Amino acid sequence: MNKFLTINKNILLGLSLIVCLILISMIIFKNYFNNNKIIEISSMPSVDIINPKFTINNKNKKIYVKASKGNFIDKDLILLEENVYFESSDFKIYSDSVTFNRKDETANSKTKSKFESKGTMIISEGFKIKNQGDIIFFDGETSLILN
């Protein structure tokens, strides 16, 4: 009976040692992966779309919409930010922040904007694009420069 207890004590001691090693390994790996996740999450920008591109399908022309980043406001509205521009064969509009409606193909901005066309430049405090690009309103203090 003593040999049986001695064998069980050795097995029990060995199993306890293995369990302790496994627990220590799990704690080390958990801390390592959690720390890396924290770094990854904090370094990720809070952006829904990187380099978004859209097209407004006007009857006469296409207007291409591009930006550096975009965030969904809802399923149709997207806030486009950084280097936002609208480009067609007739004009370009530059701004830093534009709300774009994908469903209605409209846009508006309340930040400084620049419109360029052949021989014309308009600098305004914002703009609105309506009717799929057929109508453009310029808001706030606006300067018109003709060449």
Side-chain angles (χ1 to χ4, degrees), residues 2-139:
N2 285 341
K3 288 182 183 181
F4 181 69
L5 288 176
T6 304
I7 292 173
N8 285 340
K9 286 180 187 177
N10 288 338
I11 292 174
L12 185 60
L13 183 63
L15 288 175
S16 298
L17 185 61
I18 290 171
V19 169
C20 286
L21 289 173
I22 290 172
L23 289 175
I24 291 170
S25 298
M26 287 174 60
I27 291 170
I28 291 171
F29 283 119
K30 182 180 177 186
N31 287 338
Y32 174 77
F33 286 116
N34 282 344
N35 288 340
N36 284 348
K37 285 181 186 176
I38 290 169
I39 292 169
E40 289 173 12
I41 290 170
S42 65
S43 66
M44 289 178 57
S46 60
V47 176
D48 294 330
I49 311 168
I50 297 174
N51 298 321
K53 296 177 183 179
F54 302 99
T55 303
I56 296 175
N57 294 307
N58 186 298
K59 297 172 196 163
N60 302 319
K61 61 186 167 272
K62 289 188 178 202
I63 301 170
Y64 300 97
V65 183
K66 296 180 184 178
S68 294
K69 62 183 183 176
N71 286 299
F72 288 99
I73 298 170
D74 64 29
K75 74 174 196 155
D76 294 323
L77 289 178
I78 300 171
L79 176 62
L80 302 172
E81 295 179 300
E82 294 181 14
N83 305 316
V84 182
Y85 72 93
F86 293 73
E87 182 178 18
S88 76
S89 57
D90 299 331
F91 67 86
K92 292 181 184 178
I93 300 177
Y94 303 92
S95 187
D96 283 329
S97 178
V98 176
T99 302
F100 179 69
N101 186 318
R102 296 185 310 164
K103 182 179 179 185
D104 298 337
E105 295 185 333
T106 60
N108 75 48
S109 174
K110 295 182 183 190
T111 60
K112 186 176 179 181
S113 304
K114 180 177 165 184
F115 171 90
E116 291 180 348
S117 185
K118 186 176 180 183
T120 305
M121 183 186 309
I122 300 172
I123 298 172
S124 67
E125 293 177 358
F127 67 90
K128 292 180 183 128
I129 294 178
K130 305 250 179 199
N131 294 357
Q132 297 175 318
D134 284 336
I135 299 173
I136 302 173
F137 294 107
F138 296 96
D139 295 331

